[in-house]
């Protein structure tokens, strides 16, 4: 009976409303906290009545607001990617950070920096897209080719193997072309460098990626009943998987190119969302986006407070939050059941 | 049966001898190769005490300790992997994947951060392995206890290991950023798995561990064979399953910890080498442990030479070379192993 109440429409709407409110409030706090604390009312002023002459308004408009917005978008994208991956593979451990996405992006970036040093910013973004995509495809291939199929443990190990391989080759290239410093800077990542330009990239990719994700949400729900059932219901599973991979590529590519490595966020959010929202991906996908945005905005605030005035990489913080959850999943029946 | 036994022993002797010959040949090549190149004849002269001052300096102070360290670390990690694979009955177990290396690394970085500066001279070189051991033990304990759920399922063990690994890595990043620049550099260089600053103190600090622990592993080889059959059969054969497993696990963890303290995080060596050893000599632990030790030593020495000379005068960390060599093999195993 609990589940009926839990998954009722009112309950779901209440969750969504409170998540939206929490998100807006935490973005407000994210803008207010910093080297110079700014009052929340000033934040509001700067957005509604922007005044060029005030330094605090400048700081908000040019530094803090783009950062907070980028955190929300990146968090949303990673969570939706994770939800789509888990839905399509029916694999509880599928998520961007486990599949070597960041390593792939770093690999592609270092190649671009080494051989095309004059490449523009947008070319770099595109490169990291391509690299992230290659890594995902490689991990999927290794997992799928293996005898026992794409089990959670195979996926995780394939991610480790491909990730280590790509990282090693990356560090050799970086060493040879003396790019370690630039690469290290990018890898530490975080959201400090997010400006409006980065947000533009995020918004465009997000619009496309989220649109496709929402479009295929219903089909993913059906796919979860089993591939045969879905095919029997007249669903084109191949097309669905292509669209799903495309979504994941666009969303994680954009997220990684802006924020670097953000560990485990894409893994845990979909699980939490499913727990609250049930199994319908038409709910899971948008709510994952909200929760992901909320978690990353909060983590970003923590990353600035924990060792102020220095920043702690936000990816390390999401990892520390996410790992206990990963361990819980690994102990669960789906994670450890079969090989 | 007797015949078969004799054949196996013969094969083992042949494999061992050829590996030793390979190691000796490689040893002389590696000693001679480098920015200052020294011919094999000159190497022998120098070793016999008839070299020039310059050759003495290059060989005895730089190359020799580094090569010996590579041999010791290679053997240590390989045997650790061999034991772990048998004890957990899991072909994909390895100190790196199980988070033991990162745990040791975390402890060493803690040591660099808090304690090193208050010690003088080479004392820290000898205390570092103890810290690494503590870290390795902590990681192993965490992995084993978190994977425990009416016994330890091999798959769960690997998954939990990956999680613990990621956890220590994240903690490492946070810790490293709080260091001053000099310590930060030391930690970063060390973590990427290299043996550039190898000196005799490092060799002396690792040597006793290897000399004590590998023989213990050999003595316990019989128990390892039995454990490899599965807990039920092992218990049925009268083996003290949990006791033996504990001793062997401790040996494996200590080997990994000491190796990591000396050489940093070197991934996949402990995974790939025991596989090669089993391919060559079969699954009996009496044979796989010594053969793994030899192959591991040979591989790490060769990898270090490649890393040192490929892009000379730039050096590639040996851990990176090992990863590039062995990750494809690991992927192949992933596809093949059921």
């Amino acid at each position: 009976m609990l589940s009926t109440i839990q998954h009722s429409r009112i309950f779901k709407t209440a969750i969504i409303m409170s998540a939206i409110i929490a998100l807006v409030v935490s973005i407000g706090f994210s803008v207010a906290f910093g080297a110079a604390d700014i009052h929340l009312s000033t934040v509001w002023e700067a957005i509604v009545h922007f005044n060029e002459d005030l330094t605090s308004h400048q700081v908000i408009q040019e530094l803090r607001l783009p950062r907070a917005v980028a955190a929300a978008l990146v968090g949303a994208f990673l969570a939706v990617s994770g939800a789509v991956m888990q839905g399509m593979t029916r694999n509880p451990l599928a998520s961007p950070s486990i599949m070597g996405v960041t390593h792939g992006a770093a690999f592609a970036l270092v190649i671009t920096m080494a051989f095309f040093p004059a490449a523009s910013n947008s070319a770099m973004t595109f490169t990291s897209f391509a690299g992230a995509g290659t890594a995902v495809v490689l991990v999927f291939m290794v997992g799928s080719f293996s005898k026992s199929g794409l089990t959670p443990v195979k996926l995780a190990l394939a991610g480790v193997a491909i990730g280590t391989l790509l990282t090693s080759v990356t560090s050799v290239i970086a060493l040879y072309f003396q790019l370690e410093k630039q690469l290290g800077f990018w890898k530490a990542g975080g959201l400090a460098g997010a400006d409006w330009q980065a947000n533009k990239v995020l918004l465009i990719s997000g619009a496309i990626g989220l649109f496709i994700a929402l479009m295929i949400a219903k089909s993913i729900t059906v796919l979860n009943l089993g591939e045969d059932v879905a095919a029997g219901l007249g669903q084109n599973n191949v097309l669905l998987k292509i669209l799903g991979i495309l979504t994941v590529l666009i969303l994680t590519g954009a997220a990684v190119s802006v924020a670097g490595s953000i560990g485990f966020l894409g893994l845990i959010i979909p699980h939490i969302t499913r727990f609250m929202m049930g199994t319908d991906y038409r709910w899971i996908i948008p709510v994952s986006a909200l929760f992901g945005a909320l978690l990353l905005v909060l983590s970003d605030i923590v990353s600035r407070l924990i060792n102020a005035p220095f920043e702690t990489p936000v990816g390390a913080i999401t990892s520390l939050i996410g790992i206990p959850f990963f361990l819980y999943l690994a102990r669960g029946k789906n994670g450890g059941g079969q090989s | 049966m007797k015949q078969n036994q004799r054949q196996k022993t013969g094969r083992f002797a042949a494999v061992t001898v050829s590996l030793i010959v390979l190691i000796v040949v490689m040893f002389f090549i590696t000693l001679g190769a480098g920015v200052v190149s020294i011919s094999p004849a000159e190497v022998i002269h120098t070793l016999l005490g008839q070299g020039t001052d310059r050759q003495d300096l290059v060989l005895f102070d730089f190359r020799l300790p580094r090569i010996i360290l590579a041999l010791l670390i290679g053997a240590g990690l390989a045997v650790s992997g061999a034991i772990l694979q048998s004890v957990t009955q899991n072909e994909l177990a390895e100190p790196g994947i199980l988070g033991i290396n990162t745990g040791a690394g975390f402890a060493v970085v803690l040591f660099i951060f808090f304690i090193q500066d208050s010690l003088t001279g080479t004392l820290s070189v000898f205390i570092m392995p103890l810290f690494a051991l503590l870290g390795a033990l902590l990681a192993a304990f965490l992995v084993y206890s978190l994977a425990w759920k009416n016994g330890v399922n091999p798959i769960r063990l690997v998954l939990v290991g990956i999680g613990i690994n990621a956890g220590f890595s994240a903690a490492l990043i946070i810790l490293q950023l709080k260091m001053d620049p000099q310590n930060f550099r030391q930690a970063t260089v060390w973590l990427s798995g290299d043996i550039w600053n190898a000196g005799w103190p490092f060799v002396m600090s690792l040597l006793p561990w290897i000399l004590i622990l590998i023989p213990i592993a050999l003595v316990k080889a019989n128990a390892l064979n039995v454990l490899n059959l599965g807990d039920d059969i092992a218990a049925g054969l009268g083996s003290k399953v949990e006791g033996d497993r504990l001793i062997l696990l401790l040996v494996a963890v200590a080997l990994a910890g000491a190796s990591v303290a000396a050489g940093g995080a070197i991934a996949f060596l402990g995974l790939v080498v025991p596989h090669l050893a089993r391919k060559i000599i079969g699954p009996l632990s009496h044979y796989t442990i010594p053969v793994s030790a030899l192959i591991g030593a040979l591989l790490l020495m060769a990898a270090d030479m490649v890393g040192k000379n490929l892009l000379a005068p730039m050096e590639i960390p040996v851990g990176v070379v090992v990863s590039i060599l062995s990750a494809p093999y690991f992927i192949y195993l992933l596809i093949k192993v059921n």
Side-chain angles (χ1 to χ4, degrees):
Chain A
M1 275 305 103
L2 182 70
S3 67
T4 350
I5 301 165
Q6 211 172 37
H7 298 151
S8 74
R9 195 164 279 266
I10 299 168
F11 176 81
K12 285 173 178 169
T13 317
I15 295 242
I16 292 177
M17 290 317 292
S18 27
I20 291 175
I21 293 168
L23 182 59
V24 171
V25 171
S26 54
I27 287 180
F29 274 112
S30 174
V31 175
F33 278 132
D37 280 340
I38 297 171
H39 203 267
L40 273 177
S41 60
T42 322
V43 175
W44 181 248
E45 279 289 304
I47 296 169
V48 189
H49 311 288
F50 177 59
N51 182 350
E52 246 180 62
D53 301 333
L54 291 174
T55 334
S56 60
H57 283 203
Q58 289 275 9
V59 167
I60 290 169
Q61 279 279 353
E62 292 308 317
L63 295 173
R64 299 208 183 154
L65 197 58
R67 176 177 186 155
V69 174
L73 290 174
V74 167
F77 293 1
L78 289 175
V80 170
S81 292
V84 171
M85 277 188 193
Q86 289 172 12
M88 285 201 318
T89 57
R90 279 179 288 152
N91 185 327
L93 293 185
S95 68
S97 51
I98 289 183
M99 321 240 329
V101 167
T102 336
H103 306 297
F107 175 67
L109 271 179
V110 82
I111 287 185
T112 320
M113 287 196 256
F115 296 104
F116 310 98
S120 65
N121 263 348
S122 50
M124 293 292 221
T125 309
F126 180 77
T127 311
S128 59
F129 268 70
T134 316
V136 172
V137 172
L138 279 175
V139 172
F140 255 116
M141 266 169 38
V142 171
S144 314
F145 276 137
S146 77
K147 271 186 181 164
S148 42
L150 198 66
T151 58
V153 73
K154 281 278 158 76
L155 202 67
L157 284 175
V160 171
I162 301 275
T164 314
L165 185 60
L166 287 172
T167 311
S168 305
V169 178
T170 305
S171 62
V172 173
I173 298 175
L175 205 63
Y176 188 72
F177 290 95
Q178 297 178 334
L179 295 167
E180 291 142 299
K181 218 173 159 185
Q182 278 149 284
L183 192 70
F185 191 70
W186 180 84
K187 261 190 182 164
L191 296 150
D195 49 14
W196 287 120
Q197 182 62 34
N199 273 303
K200 218 171 14 188
V201 174
L202 285 174
L203 277 174
I204 296 170
S205 344
I208 304 169
L210 291 177
F211 176 73
I212 307 179
L214 287 171
M215 215 172 64
I216 60 175
K218 190 179 170 196
S219 310
I220 293 180
T221 313
V222 177
L223 186 68
N224 258 293
L225 300 173
E227 295 220 3
D228 299 338
V229 179
L233 288 170
Q235 187 162 303
N236 185 344
N237 285 338
V238 178
L239 180 68
L240 174 64
K241 283 189 178 171
I242 292 173
L243 284 175
I245 290 174
L246 199 66
T247 319
V248 169
L249 284 188
I250 295 173
L251 291 178
T252 35
V256 167
S257 72
V258 170
S261 159
I262 309 283
F264 291 93
L265 191 134
L267 177 83
I268 58 174
I269 294 292
H271 282 278
I272 295 172
T273 313
R274 258 195 305 271
F275 176 72
M276 291 183 169
M277 292 284 146
T279 53
D280 187 344
Y281 275 80
R282 279 173 301 179
W283 289 96
I284 293 176
I285 285 177
V287 176
S288 286
L290 273 178
F291 284 173
L294 183 60
L295 182 65
L296 195 55
V297 172
L298 290 177
S299 301
D300 186 44
I301 297 178
V302 172
S303 84
R304 279 178 284 162
L305 292 180
I306 211 172
N307 190 23
F310 302 108
E311 293 199 5
T312 309
V314 68
I317 296 190
T318 54
S319 293
L320 288 182
I321 299 171
I323 283 158
F325 203 89
F326 175 88
L327 292 173
Y328 167 76
L329 290 176
R331 279 174 62 83
K333 58 178 190 292
N334 290 328
Q338 314 136 345
S339 58
Chain B
M1 197 63 203
K2 265 266 151 57
Q3 177 88 33
N4 196 0
Q5 187 69 28
R6 206 169 297 139
Q7 248 175 20
K8 277 237 170 95
T9 320
R11 190 175 157 80
F12 172 62
V15 169
T16 313
V17 170
S18 18
L19 278 172
I20 291 176
V21 170
L22 269 175
I23 288 179
V24 171
V25 171
M26 199 64 209
F27 178 77
F28 281 106
I29 296 176
T30 313
L31 263 184
V35 178
V36 180
S37 117
I38 305 173
S39 75
E42 283 172 326
V43 167
I44 295 173
H45 270 285
T46 314
L47 288 182
L48 293 174
Q50 297 164 338
T52 62
D53 281 352
R54 185 181 157 85
Q55 287 168 345
D56 271 350
L57 177 76
V58 170
L59 281 195
F60 288 112
D61 287 356
F62 295 122
R63 293 199 189 151
L64 205 54
R66 178 165 169 170
I67 292 172
I68 294 176
L69 198 63
L71 290 170
L72 293 175
I73 295 170
L77 286 176
V79 171
S80 174
I83 296 175
L84 286 175
Q85 289 179 8
S86 290
V87 168
T88 60
Q89 296 148 47
N90 186 338
E91 293 193 66
L92 299 175
E94 192 237 355
I97 290 180
L98 290 182
I100 295 172
N101 287 354
T102 332
F106 181 70
V108 168
V109 170
L110 274 182
F111 172 78
I112 294 175
F113 189 45
F114 286 112
I115 301 173
Q116 191 186 46
D117 292 342
S118 56
L119 297 174
T120 48
T122 53
L123 185 62
S124 71
V125 172
F126 288 89
I127 295 180
M128 222 153 84
L130 292 177
F131 264 80
L133 181 67
L134 282 180
L137 278 175
L138 174 68
F141 172 75
L142 279 176
V143 172
Y144 205 79
S145 54
L146 284 171
W148 183 275
K149 193 174 160 188
N150 307 321
V152 170
N153 165 326
I155 304 285
R156 209 157 49 223
L157 198 68
V158 169
L159 282 177
V160 171
I162 291 174
I164 296 288
N165 212 341
F168 275 121
S169 305
L172 266 176
I173 292 176
I174 294 177
L175 193 66
Q176 265 184 294
L177 287 177
K178 295 192 173 218
M179 291 180 150
D180 64 59
Q182 196 203 338
N183 281 344
F184 177 80
R185 252 192 78 81
Q186 188 191 352
T188 326
V189 166
W190 177 83
L191 281 172
S192 61
D194 82 74
I195 45 180
W196 297 343
N197 52 1
W200 289 112
F202 278 93
V203 175
M204 296 324 279
S205 78
L206 178 58
L207 192 63
W209 297 84
I210 301 286
L211 285 184
I212 295 170
L213 293 171
I214 291 187
I216 296 182
L218 280 173
V219 170
K220 281 275 166 194
N222 238 337
L224 203 56
N225 285 332
V226 177
L227 277 177
N228 210 2
L229 297 172
D231 287 3
D232 296 343
I233 301 178
L237 286 172
S239 166
K240 289 173 276 199
V241 177
E242 292 303 334
D244 283 340
R245 178 161 29 217
L246 190 66
I247 294 174
L248 283 161
L249 269 178
L250 283 178
V251 170
V253 169
L255 274 174
S259 304
V260 169
I266 296 174
F268 293 145
L269 191 78
L271 183 122
V272 170
V273 171
H275 274 270
L276 288 175
R278 274 197 299 270
K279 271 228 160 99
I280 296 173
I281 198 74
L284 271 184
S285 298
H286 303 92
Y287 301 145
T288 47
I289 288 180
V291 171
S292 292
L294 290 174
I295 298 179
L298 179 64
L299 246 172
L300 200 65
M301 176 166 61
D304 187 42
M305 196 194 70
V306 170
K308 198 172 91 176
N309 293 304
L310 191 66
L311 298 183
M314 246 175 289
E315 298 201 358
I316 308 171
V318 65
V320 171
V321 180
V322 171
S323 298
I324 293 179
L325 288 177
S326 47
Y329 188 74
F330 179 43
I331 292 168
Y332 162 79
L333 282 177
L334 261 183
I335 294 176
K336 285 271 303 222
V337 168
N338 218 339

